[in-house]
Amino acid sequence: MPHIPDEYWNAIVECDPSFNDSFIYAVKTTGIYCKPSCKSRAPKRENVNIFKNAYMAKEEGFRPCKRCKPVGAILPAEEWVGQIRAWIDENYHKHLTLEGIAELFHGSPFHLQRLFKQVQGMSPNEYIQKLRMEIAVQLLEEDKRKVKDISEAVGFQSTPYFITLFKKKYGCTPATYRKKGGEKQ
């Protein structure tokens, strides 16, 4: 674990703008770098790297925060949405909210909703549901788990809700879909 001086750590936790010209911090779990004054939730200390400047953070593969815009850097909408989409593709099975995703990627829910829809042609929630349904179909065709277990595995917190959405999209229940060998009605 890289050593972070207490003075720098306190600046991050307290969102202290007096340190903005002293260092940039990057969060390994999100791949984002920020100014010490960034108002996003404080990361875990073990996930933080300290850099002298934004250029060094960028060279290490980190991207600028949308919220604090370190050194005025703004990530293009397509790239930001692409990174969020890639993260959703890996985390679709978790409980996901627009607010949680926006906070994780240092943007506002409104901004995320608007840009995601502009770039992807659908809202983040529509994208998550589409992805979950595609994976559910694949599991119904290849896996012998119960419908309830598949529903949970793809991230639906309510099996009846999953069944309702599935029936609306595919014209039959997940169980019927499986019995018919994956044929849509």
Side-chain angles (χ1 to χ4, degrees):
M1 176 171 70
H3 174 70
I4 300 170
D6 288 339
E7 181 180 36
Y8 283 10
W9 179 247
N10 291 337
I12 294 168
V13 172
E14 296 168 9
C15 306
D16 188 342
S18 68
F19 282 83
N20 282 352
D21 294 328
S22 302
F23 70 96
I24 292 288
Y25 75 93
V27 182
K28 290 182 268 189
T29 52
T30 62
I32 295 172
Y33 65 89
C34 300
K35 295 188 271 188
S37 64
C38 188
K39 299 294 185 196
S40 61
R41 184 175 38 162
K44 291 182 180 177
R45 192 170 184 159
E46 64 266 18
N47 293 332
V48 172
N49 285 343
I50 301 293
F51 296 97
K52 289 183 181 181
N53 56 50
Y55 177 77
M56 292 173 72
K58 190 171 182 173
E59 285 294 303
E60 291 293 320
F62 292 97
R63 59 194 181 277
C65 172
K66 285 284 220 187
R67 181 174 287 167
C68 70
K69 299 177 180 74
V71 292
I74 297 176
L75 194 61
E78 293 80 12
E79 190 176 338
W80 190 56
V81 168
Q83 291 167 356
I84 292 169
R85 193 185 65 242
W87 184 86
I88 290 170
D89 290 349
E90 293 292 319
N91 294 280
Y92 66 88
H93 58 284
K94 297 177 181 174
H95 177 67
L96 303 177
T97 64
L98 182 65
E99 292 76 16
I101 295 168
E103 183 175 327
L104 184 65
F105 284 88
H106 299 206
S108 74
F110 172 78
H111 188 65
L112 170 59
Q113 178 82 1
R114 188 173 53 79
L115 283 183
F116 199 97
K117 193 161 191 163
Q118 177 185 321
V119 172
Q120 287 298 131
M122 63 182 77
S123 72
N125 189 51
E126 290 168 334
Y127 180 79
I128 292 165
Q129 284 194 354
K130 177 180 176 285
L131 179 62
R132 286 176 174 168
M133 287 302 213
E134 289 169 358
I135 295 168
V137 164
Q138 184 179 352
L139 291 175
L140 286 165
E141 293 171 356
E142 301 170 359
D143 197 308
K144 299 294 182 210
R145 286 186 276 179
K146 295 178 182 177
V147 169
K148 177 185 183 300
D149 296 334
I150 288 174
S151 170
E152 291 171 0
V154 298
F156 286 101
Q157 307 222 326
S158 164
T159 302
Y161 180 66
F162 165 66
I163 292 169
T164 300
L165 286 178
F166 194 95
K167 191 171 183 177
K168 184 177 178 183
K169 181 166 179 67
Y170 296 104
C172 62
T173 66
T176 302
Y177 182 89
R178 176 184 269 161
K179 284 178 193 167
K180 295 189 175 216
E183 295 176 20
K184 299 176 196 170
Q185 290 191 345

